[in-house]
Amino acid sequence: MSLSSREIPTVDTVPRPFTGPLQDPGAPPCFHCALPVADPNRYRVKVDGNWQAVCCPGCQAVAEAILGYGMLGYYEHRTSPAPTAVADGENEDFRIYDDPEVQRGFVHTEAGGSCDAALMIEGIRCTACVWLNQNVLGHLPGVLGVGINATTHRAQLRWDPQKIKLSEILAAVQKIGYRAHPYDVRQQEAAQRSEQKQSLWRLFVAGFGMMQVTMYALPVYLAEPGSMTPDIEQLMRWAGLMLTLPVVTYSAGPFFQSAWRDLRLGRMGMDLPVALGIGVAFAASTWSTFSRHGEVYFDSVSMFVFLLLCGRYLEIRARHAVARSLDFLSRATPEVALRLDSAGKPEQVAVSVLRPGDLVLVRSGERIPADGVVKEGRSLVDESLLTGESSPVTRQAGDRVTGGSTNIEDPMLMQVERIGADTVLSSIVRLMQQAASERPRLVANAERVTGWFVAVTLALAAASAAAWWMIEPGRALWVAVSVLVVTCPCALSLATPVALTVATGRLARQGLVVCHGHVVETLARATDVVLDKTGTLTFGRLRLEHTHVLADLSEAECLRIAAAMEQGSMHPIAKALLAAGTPESAVRESRNHAGLGVEAEVNGHLYRLGRPDFVLAAHQHAAPWRPPEIPAGCSVAMLGDESNCLALFVLGDALRPDAGDFVRALHRAGKRVHLLSGDRAETVERIATALGIESITANASPQDKLRYVQALQRGGGVVAMIGDGINDAPVLAQAGVSIAMSDGAWISQRQADAVLLSGRLSDLRAAFDTSARTLAIIRENLIWALGYNLIAVPLAASGMVTPWMAGIGMSTSSLLVILNSLRLRRQSKPAAAAVAHGSLASTG
């Protein structure tokens, strides 16, 4: 539908144009961007039957587009003027982003055909801008999902390329006055440097003003009563006013802007008490200067602005350190690589131009630019950033290598297999970004408490001022200012999200990539840990120990049929049978029965492969079957046709060496451990006895596992499920928190809340410890924030804390919360990557 054919919504009140500082008092403001309108009758838009003037055809087109999308609420909720519209003839051609070669670097195509990408949106100035972009993009046909982070201005977008092109999405963003482009971690770092630079300038102006104001205030303090004439004293006051003015308007500007934005949105933000304290103190001192009555404290105002900005600057540095803890993998891929040309000579090219099949020379000391396979050479590769192993591993011809690891010995020639958004590294980054974009319950609760805290602070400040007005009116103002400044809702609001963000980065370095925001909290609160056997407590790398032939077919023929039926499966049993037999037969109508086995037509005959009861269920008039003796600890898979049992495959699997320590650590932490497995009872009991697990269930179907977890939850348990393989997908989705092993099937990893990329249970044990430690640090932060305020507020209300002392206390309180959270970064192990390179890259 064209914009002109959309119906303009009708509202009861017409939104008023934003009135900004750039508006000319003699000219009406532009309805869209608030700039002066030279001719109000030249360009206009009709809103609810009323004509509104706009300044140019660009703003007219943008306003009509916004209204055409039904987004009239944007003009009601915005707190900053809209970005200036793109002038005629300046529209950018976004069709280059539809080129598949260009999209390789930042667009990931999922199994269902949908695409997702991370975009940066320029021009966002307030929450109304976020609301507008999110609603406009969300209403585009073919856009399946969009989320925009109001702090980073990063959008996570998912769309159907069959219904809409990426260029059309980017053009829609430009049409409403913004600009979108692919997210680049280096651009994000540049923005952070710009923020730090601006903060330093504000800090410099406040520090310079503080020193100069103190120079003029000091003679007044030191002068003997009557020794300074009124004219000289008044001159000192005017000098203090002029020097404090830029400190309040420029250096303290962010406090006032944030407070005003929150008030316009009808909420009480963290900067409101600070802005009130600075504003009231400066206004009172200014009134005293003009009236020549009362005391002035310009030196105190400039001093606590300087101290607040010192704390704010250190806080920004700490926040950026937290962000870097999440982006460390994004910086692992090099920018350039040595690609061999047609003549076999190396040429330096950007990594973004590499394509699958390219040959790349990786010299000693260089990072591997993409996922691929070694074609020539033998070297030691440092995969500590990805696998968590401190010792380098040997890679030679035929071995796979992961982009981001480092070649530390001899040159290697590799062939590129996966690039851009399809690499293992990009898959890990996407999972982490997904978790970072969610709001866990702990954060939501902290934000609600902060809103009430600010309201209580304002009430206490008013009550303190009223009480001191009756006791000593001359001190009432400064006591109120001290109460407003000394309280620290910042520390209270930062206590939870900063710790959770740092914990997410640390877990990634320990080998556990968090996909959802509630993982840390739920993992620490878990009372019951449910474990799968194959691929979790065992390596999941089954090997064929013996084949019992039960019919006239040969062992080789049985293996060929079984291997043909298991083609394309990621199950450990399938891998073992594929390794033992060659799938030479044609397969038709293959159907997987979750937790039971597979049924397929091979060379015109219908076969079943899987659990013995699954195979026997197809035999309506079969004679009783007696299983042969199976060695303890082994698993079995039966092959049968429509009437007979053909073969019984005996498969062995080794227990992970760290499984015993992991289970014992869970017991010491007071958690109940359960073992659920679809394997036969003898095998499950043997492993449970070896590991000291008392609660076991064998021969469990996916429905049995699901009912078991639901029963634990009905009893009040918080369940953490650790599984591997397609059979575990339903129960992973049901558990309070679920973890999939990295070498499991990709379906289970998509259902899981986190993925253990290293495959080491020792890393999972460390993840439980980190989660518990994170909740402990959150409690410490909350206790500190509440305890500080319970002590500082009464002292300030009693007149024992001056405004500049309050500024130090507030800044220190916020900084201590962040620094305490950063303790989680200590002794962190490098991030893990997938053991099976292929499985994680397809998680999306």
Side-chain angles (χ1 to χ4, degrees):
M1 181 184 294
S2 63
L3 289 180
S4 59
S5 64
R6 291 179 183 261
E7 181 180 356
I8 303 299
T10 302
V11 294
D12 296 331
T13 59
V14 178
R16 297 180 180 179
F18 182 87
T19 304
L22 299 177
Q23 184 174 316
D24 182 1
C30 173
F31 177 76
H32 177 71
C33 71
L35 293 175
V37 178
D39 185 357
N41 296 316
R42 186 174 182 184
Y43 304 109
R44 298 186 300 169
V45 292
K46 194 172 185 179
V47 183
D48 193 26
N50 298 314
W51 289 101
Q52 301 291 338
V54 291
C55 63
C56 65
C59 284
Q60 183 183 40
V62 172
E64 288 176 350
I66 292 174
L67 297 171
Y69 278 115
M71 302 302 164
L72 187 63
Y74 165 69
Y75 293 106
E76 298 174 335
H77 303 303
R78 62 178 177 172
T79 59
S80 296
T84 306
V86 178
D88 292 341
E90 294 184 5
N91 288 310
E92 186 174 346
D93 189 354
F94 295 108
R95 286 177 296 181
I96 185 65
Y97 293 114
D98 294 332
D99 188 336
E101 297 300 316
V102 175
Q103 290 189 1
R104 285 182 185 273
F106 67 97
V107 176
H108 174 71
T109 302
E110 298 183 352
S114 63
C115 298
D116 67 76
L119 304 176
M120 285 294 293
I121 299 182
E122 296 180 1
I124 290 180
R125 300 178 182 176
C126 63
T127 52
C129 298
V130 175
W131 178 87
L132 172 65
N133 280 274
Q134 196 155 309
N135 279 272
V136 167
L137 293 177
H139 281 77
L140 293 176
V143 173
L144 305 177
V146 59
I148 302 176
N149 189 303
T151 303
T152 63
H153 304 166
R154 185 190 307 179
Q156 206 65 35
L157 185 72
R158 188 162 58 91
W159 73 97
D160 184 351
Q162 300 298 322
K163 296 181 179 179
I164 191 171
K165 297 179 179 178
L166 180 58
S167 61
E168 295 172 341
I169 297 174
L170 300 179
V173 174
Q174 187 187 56
K175 196 174 182 65
I176 57 173
Y178 301 83
R179 183 178 183 274
H181 57 81
Y183 169 75
D184 185 355
V185 67
R186 293 169 180 83
Q187 281 186 296
Q188 181 76 2
E189 291 174 344
Q192 291 177 350
R193 288 193 295 269
S194 176
E195 182 183 13
Q196 289 190 23
K197 182 178 179 181
Q198 191 174 42
S199 299
L200 275 176
W201 271 110
R202 295 185 189 277
L203 184 61
F204 168 76
V205 171
F208 181 81
M210 177 192 68
M211 290 186 293
Q212 298 302 313
V213 171
T214 302
M215 289 176 59
Y216 284 96
L218 196 59
V220 178
Y221 291 145
L222 297 179
E224 295 291 335
S227 62
M228 182 176 291
T229 64
D231 291 341
I232 296 298
E233 185 175 352
Q234 188 66 10
L235 178 63
M236 297 294 184
R237 291 189 173 196
W238 277 104
L241 172 62
M242 299 307 295
L243 291 168
T244 307
L245 187 62
V247 174
V248 173
T249 56
Y250 173 69
S251 296
F255 297 114
F256 293 104
Q257 293 168 3
S258 176
W260 177 241
R261 180 182 65 243
D262 290 334
L263 287 175
R264 287 181 65 91
L265 293 174
R267 65 189 185 196
M268 296 183 182
M270 297 179 295
D271 287 331
L272 181 59
V274 176
L276 278 176
I278 296 172
V280 168
F282 181 74
S285 296
T286 302
W287 171 256
S288 297
T289 301
F290 278 95
S291 65
R292 294 175 176 259
H293 295 291
E295 298 293 332
V296 296
Y297 294 95
F298 292 119
D299 54 333
S300 296
V301 172
S302 59
M303 181 179 294
F304 70 71
V305 169
F306 172 74
L307 293 172
L308 287 173
L309 290 177
C310 282
R312 186 64 59 93
Y313 175 72
L314 294 175
E315 181 183 322
I316 289 173
R317 292 288 300 270
R319 278 195 295 106
H320 290 173
V322 171
R324 285 193 295 272
S325 71
L326 290 178
D327 286 338
F328 69 100
L329 286 176
S330 301
R331 295 186 292 270
T333 304
E335 296 183 8
V336 296
L338 287 177
R339 183 180 62 184
L340 299 190
D341 59 17
S342 57
K345 295 182 179 180
E347 58 175 351
Q348 192 174 68
V349 298
V351 170
S352 58
V353 305
L354 292 179
R355 297 294 177 263
D358 286 349
L359 294 177
V360 175
L361 178 64
V362 185
R363 297 176 298 193
S364 176
E366 293 181 343
R367 287 194 181 275
I368 296 173
D371 294 354
V373 61
V374 178
K375 303 299 290 185
E376 295 179 12
R378 175 188 174 95
S379 182
L380 291 176
V381 177
D382 180 9
E383 298 180 346
S384 59
L385 182 67
L386 300 166
T387 64
E389 294 292 346
S390 57
S391 302
V393 294
T394 301
R395 292 288 181 258
Q396 56 190 353
D399 291 340
R400 297 188 180 278
V401 289
T402 305
S405 52
T406 305
N407 179 24
I408 62 174
E409 196 174 60
D410 299 321
M412 291 190 307
L413 185 65
M414 64 167 288
Q415 185 175 39
V416 175
E417 290 187 336
R418 289 193 295 263
I419 59 172
D422 295 327
T423 62
V424 170
L425 205 60
S426 297
S427 300
I428 298 172
V429 171
R430 277 196 302 275
L431 293 176
M432 295 175 65
Q433 288 176 349
Q434 176 182 330
S437 64
E438 297 181 356
R439 290 173 71 249
R441 182 180 61 87
L442 282 174
V443 175
N445 291 340
E447 290 177 356
R448 283 195 293 268
V449 172
T450 299
W452 286 102
F453 186 87
V454 172
V456 171
T457 297
L458 298 179
L460 287 174
S464 299
W468 276 95
W469 184 262
M470 292 183 293
I471 299 172
E472 189 177 345
R475 300 184 61 185
L477 173 65
W478 295 109
V479 170
V481 170
S482 296
V483 172
L484 289 171
V485 175
V486 79
T487 52
C488 193
C490 299
L492 193 61
S493 65
L494 292 172
T496 300
V498 173
L500 290 176
T501 303
V502 176
T504 300
R506 171 170 176 132
L507 289 174
R509 292 179 181 272
Q510 289 175 328
L512 184 73
V513 171
V514 174
C515 308
H516 296 288
H518 71 280
V519 168
V520 175
E521 176 190 0
T522 313
L523 204 60
R525 294 174 47 243
T527 58
D528 295 82
V529 180
V530 178
L531 302 170
D532 181 39
K533 181 185 73 70
T534 304
T536 303
L537 294 176
T538 66
F539 281 104
R541 294 192 286 268
L542 295 175
R543 61 188 180 276
L544 183 63
E545 300 285 355
H546 184 69
T547 300
H548 293 278
V549 178
L550 306 176
D552 295 335
L553 293 180
S554 66
E555 179 180 350
E557 182 62 24
C558 291
L559 285 173
R560 278 196 295 271
I561 296 173
M565 296 177 68
E566 293 287 18
Q567 290 182 82
S569 176
M570 297 293 294
H571 196 279
I573 292 179
K575 293 180 181 179
L577 294 175
L578 284 167
T582 303
E584 298 177 353
S585 306
V587 179
R588 292 182 55 195
E589 299 182 6
S590 177
R591 289 183 298 170
N592 180 70
H593 298 263
L596 299 174
V598 62
E599 184 177 24
E601 184 179 318
V602 182
N603 294 331
H605 296 279
L606 187 64
Y607 295 94
R608 282 191 174 189
L609 174 65
R611 290 172 48 166
D613 55 346
F614 169 67
V615 176
L616 293 171
H619 305 162
Q620 298 180 1
H621 305 290
W625 176 77
R626 291 184 178 182
E629 185 176 349
I630 306 299
C634 290
S635 302
V636 295
M638 177 178 283
L639 174 67
D641 58 15
E642 296 165 305
S643 57
N644 296 302
C645 301
L646 303 180
L648 190 69
F649 303 108
V650 180
L651 305 110
D653 192 7
L655 199 66
R656 294 181 186 269
D658 52 359
D661 290 338
F662 175 62
V663 172
R664 285 189 290 273
L666 292 177
H667 283 148
R668 286 196 299 270
K671 302 183 187 299
R672 297 185 292 268
V673 182
H674 310 260
L675 176 57
L676 299 184
S677 177
D679 214 335
R680 61 197 189 99
E682 296 85 350
T683 301
V684 177
E685 289 174 358
R686 171 181 169 273
I687 290 179
T689 302
L691 298 178
I693 301 176
E694 297 180 358
S695 300
I696 63 171
T697 301
N699 296 310
S701 66
Q703 292 74 22
D704 294 334
K705 295 180 181 180
L706 189 61
R707 285 192 289 268
Y708 191 95
V709 169
Q710 290 172 339
L712 290 176
Q713 292 173 329
R714 285 194 297 269
V718 179
V719 179
M721 173 69 194
I722 305 165
D724 174 81
I726 295 177
N727 302 343
D728 294 322
V731 70
L732 286 172
Q734 175 66 34
V737 59
S738 56
I739 300 171
M741 308 296 283
S742 67
D743 48 358
W746 66 270
I747 292 181
S748 69
Q749 292 181 3
R750 290 179 65 87
Q751 293 287 348
D753 300 314
V755 181
L756 184 64
L757 298 176
S758 66
R760 292 187 300 270
L761 292 176
S762 57
D763 290 337
L764 189 54
R765 173 186 173 185
F768 273 94
D769 293 340
T770 297
S771 299
R773 189 179 173 204
T774 300
L775 283 196
I777 283 183
I778 289 175
R779 285 193 291 269
E780 291 172 5
N781 289 344
L782 292 174
I783 291 173
W784 162 255
L786 293 173
Y788 161 80
N789 283 286
L790 289 175
I791 295 174
V793 172
L795 291 177
S798 63
M800 301 176 64
V801 178
T802 61
W804 67 267
M805 293 169 61
I808 293 177
M810 181 211 177
S811 301
T812 303
S813 181
S814 299
L815 187 59
L816 283 177
V817 164
I818 295 178
L819 294 178
N820 188 44
S821 300
L822 287 174
R823 290 194 298 123
L824 286 167
R825 298 174 65 193
R826 296 178 185 173
Q827 299 176 349
S828 59
K829 294 176 65 176
V835 174
H837 291 260
S839 63
L840 184 61
S842 59
T843 59

